[in-house]
Amino acid sequence: MSRLGVSIAALTLSLLAMTGQAHAWAEDKDVAKLTSFGGMCANCDLAGRKLMNAKFTGANFAKAVLIGADLRGAMFYGSDFGWADLSRADLRGAEMRGANFTRANFTDARMSGIESSRANFTQATLVRVDLSSAELHAATMVGANLQKARFANAELIAADLSGANARDADFSNADINHANFQGARFDGARFHNADMTGSNLRGGIFNSADFRNADLTMVNLSGADLSSARGLEQEQLDEACGDGGTRLPSGLSVRPCNGLRSSQHFMLLRAVPKPPAPPAPPKAPKGPK
């Protein structure tokens, strides 16, 4: 039997075992069971299953149904969950390293405290998802639907949210260093006390967004619309940069960006002091009378 056949057979036996134990799991909601998955399980129906601490390594769960599944502490290593339905699933404390969740549905899922390194959530639906205190380092959320998602106290270091819809999302106290928010919508979003150092907000829309005490050091606001943003102070903008397309509340201004070295880094045009004038040449000595 080929290795793939062995993996599929092992996976089938694991699923049959879970089916036989479903009633026992329903009675004991806190039993921690280590289940390993590999091979193929595309389109599997695992809705409502107890899969605490399950380990998915190199597995294919594309379009799988995991609605309301208990995946607390689960480990997703290099697995494919593209188009999967994880709505209302409990993923608190899960680890997602190099996993693919493109176009997956996480609506109303509980994901607080997850650890994600380079996970792919491109065009995924994360409406009303609780991602508070999550570690989303270098996570890709390009074009994702993040409406009313909660990122309070989360780490979004080097995360890519370009083109995302994050209306009414909460980023309070989040660490958003060197993240990419280019062209995304953040109407009504909250960035209260967020550290946004070195992030790229080019072309973003921030209607009525709350920036109270947010750290905008080295933030690129070129083309961004913050005309109705709340809580912005000139002191914050003095550490950022923008361009002629940056829209700010009345009375506020931002320095122009110059010499963009990447999407995250820039230099500020600052007033350069004029060099001191050279000393006047000595007068020629007078000739003898």
Side-chain angles (χ1 to χ4, degrees):
M1 184 182 293
S2 66
R3 291 184 178 179
L4 178 59
V6 172
S7 298
I8 295 174
L11 176 59
T12 303
L13 290 174
S14 297
L15 292 175
L16 289 174
M18 285 192 298
T19 303
Q21 296 173 355
H23 296 294
W25 292 349
E27 294 176 2
D28 188 355
K29 295 182 179 180
D30 295 319
V31 172
K33 182 175 178 62
L34 180 60
T35 306
S36 295
F37 294 92
M40 300 278 292
C41 196
N43 297 296
C44 283
D45 188 351
L46 300 171
R49 292 297 179 88
K50 294 278 292 184
L51 298 168
M52 290 173 59
N53 302 311
K55 186 175 182 179
F56 302 89
T57 305
N60 182 358
F61 276 72
K63 298 184 179 180
V65 178
L66 293 134
I67 299 172
D70 187 348
L71 290 156
R72 285 176 290 170
M75 292 159 276
F76 301 86
Y77 298 150
S79 296
D80 184 8
F81 283 79
W83 298 87
D85 192 346
L86 294 117
S87 55
R88 303 194 306 280
D90 191 345
L91 293 133
R92 288 174 290 174
E95 292 184 34
M96 300 174 176
R97 303 187 187 280
N100 176 39
F101 296 99
T102 298
R103 294 184 180 273
N105 182 11
F106 290 91
T107 301
D108 293 317
R110 289 183 285 179
M111 300 173 70
S112 59
I114 68 167
E115 295 182 15
S116 168
S117 176
R118 299 189 180 279
N120 187 359
F121 297 93
T122 298
Q123 296 185 359
T125 300
L126 295 110
V127 176
R128 296 184 299 275
V129 168
D130 181 7
L131 282 157
S132 55
S133 301
E135 294 182 12
L136 296 161
H137 299 173
T140 300
M141 294 184 172
V142 176
N145 188 347
L146 308 172
Q147 291 188 79
K148 297 185 178 180
R150 297 188 293 279
F151 293 93
N153 300 297
E155 295 181 10
L156 289 153
I157 299 171
D160 189 354
L161 278 69
S162 56
N165 176 5
R167 290 177 171 91
D168 298 313
D170 185 3
F171 296 90
S172 300
N173 301 297
D175 187 347
I176 315 175
N177 285 316
H178 305 290
N180 183 15
F181 285 4
Q182 184 166 346
R185 296 206 64 131
F186 296 92
D187 308 71
R190 293 177 292 283
F191 296 96
H192 185 208
N193 288 326
D195 183 353
M196 306 179 76
T197 300
S199 291
N200 175 22
L201 276 59
R202 292 172 63 96
I205 299 175
F206 298 88
N207 294 326
S208 300
D210 181 3
F211 283 93
R212 285 176 298 159
N213 300 316
D215 189 345
L216 302 180
T217 302
M218 295 192 300
V219 169
N220 189 334
L221 300 173
S222 298
D225 186 355
L226 299 99
S227 57
S228 61
R230 297 174 292 122
L232 273 178
E233 302 288 344
Q234 186 59 52
E235 185 177 357
Q236 295 167 284
L237 294 171
D238 286 343
E239 302 301 322
C241 82
D243 64 5
T246 305
R247 300 180 61 189
L248 298 170
S250 178
L252 299 180
S253 62
V254 67
R255 292 184 175 91
C257 299
N258 181 48
L260 263 167
R261 291 173 291 181
S262 73
S263 62
Q264 315 296 344
H265 304 287
F266 59 84
M267 297 178 65
L268 293 176
L269 277 176
R270 300 184 181 275
V272 179
K274 293 181 179 180
K283 292 180 180 180
K286 293 180 180 181
K289 293 182 180 180

